[in-house]
Amino acid sequence: MPTTGLHLGLSTLFVRKGMLSEEQLGAAVSKARQRRQALVSVIVQENLISARAVAELCYQEYGTPLLDLDEFDVKAIPEEFLNKKLIEKHRCLPLFKRGNRLYIGTSDPTNISALEDFQFSAGLHAEAILVEEDKLAKALEAVLEDDLSALDMSGLDESALADMEVQDSERKDDDKEEGDEAPIVLYINKILTDAIRKGASDLHFEPYEKRYRVRFRIDGILHEVSEPPVNLAGRLAARLKVMSKLDIAERRVPQDGRIKMKLSRTKSIDFRVSTLPTIWGEKIVMRILDSSSAQLGIEKLGYEPEQKEAYLEMLAKPQGMILVTGPTGSGKTVSLYTGLNILNTEERNISTAEDPVEINLEGINQVHINIKAGLTFASALRSFLRQDPDVVMVGEIRDLETAEIAIKAAQTGHLVLSTLHTNSAAETLTRLVNMGVPGYNIASSVNLIIAQRLARRLCADCKEPEEVPEHELRNLGFTDAQIAEGFTVYKPVGCDNCAGGYKGRVGIYEVMKMSDEIARIIMEGGNSLQMADMAKSQGMKDLRQSGLLKVIQGITSITEVNRVTSI
């Protein structure tokens, strides 16, 4: 962990040289303490002074040699000098040895304690070499990234944490030495890497009166994976908040943050972090945001051929509205991002308003909604329309104002994609009516509605056939034609390669195109049942029918379809 030493000699130098005002310095010092980062790191990250300017100033003032790390191969550093605890603690990098001297790359030559620690560790005289802070940060990532692969197979477990229980109860947080946090750091790192390896979508850290548990949501179902000592709850929460750049002193109100975990030079995973004060401490939930999920391609999402064709047909239209609906965690974001990736070409200007931006997409202008600052979906959408857009994505239509602007955009030559929280495609249309949108505007702007759920896939290694009587198949919703044609129903078993007989998830969809008949029902004030019946008569498969097709294809089980379609 980077040291929080602020090295006031260097900070006052910035003020004396007119590079920072007293107010800017005070704010930077406060952020450094809050984030538990070095002052130089914060100053460069906040763009108060460039990394090059800091290095040149230190060179002029202290006469420390200056090295361009871009010209230095960090992989050539001798392994015996790579004390990773000291590297993380001081954000310094031992570069090379000459005679009995070890040269330490640092962006802050006033950090004497770092030189002393490296000198004691290596048994050599340590001297500083100035490097630019931004290049140092990249070099540190390159040196330390191998730690993650090691944690995949090993790391700290609950027994090691239990050994700390007595120590923890015997002294106050303020009395802890920094070294005492190493087991907490390793434990958290191992939990995060385990979650990634197991394909979890969310992690829950939950304090209770007499126990503390950690759960992963895997394929939509929560599983308990760890139970560390309850009296470590505060320290576990503090570590997660430090990683998320949250205020560790604030425990009374919810906070939101983000963590980026680098797995390799080309692969990283983001975690969206939410804290919630409970009566027994702070519950922390982390959502894993893997950008690769947005690159799956429409073929892998589970659309039936005619459903995929309808989606692609409407994506190809220059204007109109495509709405995706379903509960939280039903895969709406992936469906929208898949459509945006198809549309993301050099010829199109695409803008999105999201709360929050979950996955960064190259070539798309993504806006993070900030209601406290006055940046709402409606205000973002108004701004988009002044910037010559071709495609607009609104994370969610929550109110009449947003709905009216989105519909106006869809009617004036723009393709609009958005979501609502309803249970079926037809109910989405009545929700818009209930918001106050006139029926004629809905009928003239909405092109397609997709309702969806995510069902767990049966594990291909252990699924087994299940005998189901014909009368029961009819009761479940299978047609006589399907039963006469014959198919095999499979059930989950469970093995070492899956979670309870399931591995991965597949989408179940209800895709409803706006037709003249459905438009007439809307304008005549009809209800969602009438619209759904009309769409089915025109060939639409509802969620239940689409789920049963996945059973016929051997992809999922009857039990799972019953679970996700509420039958």
Side-chain angles (χ1 to χ4, degrees), residues 263-280:
L263 302 179
S264 68
R265 294 186 181 185
T266 58
K267 173 75 171 176
S268 63
I269 297 285
D270 283 0
F271 294 84
R272 193 178 78 207
V273 182
S274 171
T275 73
L276 179 70
T278 72
I279 59 173
W280 303 116

Side-chain angles (χ1 to χ4, degrees), residues 101-241:
R101 295 178 183 272
L102 180 64
Y103 291 86
I104 309 297
T106 177
S107 59
D108 182 359
T110 68
N111 189 356
I112 304 301
S113 63
L115 299 180
E116 292 174 345
D117 283 355
F118 278 104
Q119 182 167 305
F120 180 79
S121 173
L124 298 169
H125 181 73
E127 289 196 12
I129 288 187
L130 266 174
V131 293
E132 294 164 61
E133 168 61 28
D134 52 352
K135 295 178 181 178
L136 175 61
K138 292 179 182 178
L140 291 174
E141 284 184 357
V143 168
L144 298 174
E145 67 181 9
D146 293 339
D147 285 354
L148 284 174
S149 59
L151 281 172
D152 280 350
M153 301 304 296
S154 64
L156 196 70
D157 57 18
E158 287 89 335
S159 62
L161 279 176
D163 292 340
M164 299 175 58
E165 202 168 347
V166 175
Q167 299 176 17
D168 186 74
S169 63
E170 289 179 350
R171 56 177 156 178
K172 299 177 181 178
D173 287 346
D174 292 340
D175 295 333
K176 294 186 184 73
E177 296 176 6
E178 191 166 338
D180 290 339
E181 294 302 313
I184 297 287
V185 172
L186 286 175
Y187 177 74
I188 292 294
N189 286 350
K190 185 174 187 299
I191 286 290
L192 299 187
T193 52
D194 281 351
I196 294 168
R197 190 174 67 250
K198 292 179 179 180
S201 60
D202 302 87
L203 298 81
H204 294 241
F205 296 81
E206 302 168 313
Y208 298 98
E209 181 179 12
K210 296 182 179 179
R211 64 188 293 249
Y212 188 99
R213 69 177 177 181
V214 180
R215 294 191 290 174
F216 293 169
R217 188 177 293 279
I218 301 173
D219 296 334
I221 305 296
L222 282 168
H223 304 269
E224 185 169 332
V225 297
S226 180
E227 190 174 346
V230 67
N231 62 333
L232 296 183
R235 290 168 65 182
L236 291 169
R239 173 60 187 166
L240 290 169
K241 290 167 74 174

Side-chain angles (χ1 to χ4, degrees), residues 25 63 87 246 248 353 528 564:
L25 176 61
I87 291 172
L246 300 178
I248 61 173
S528 60
V564 299

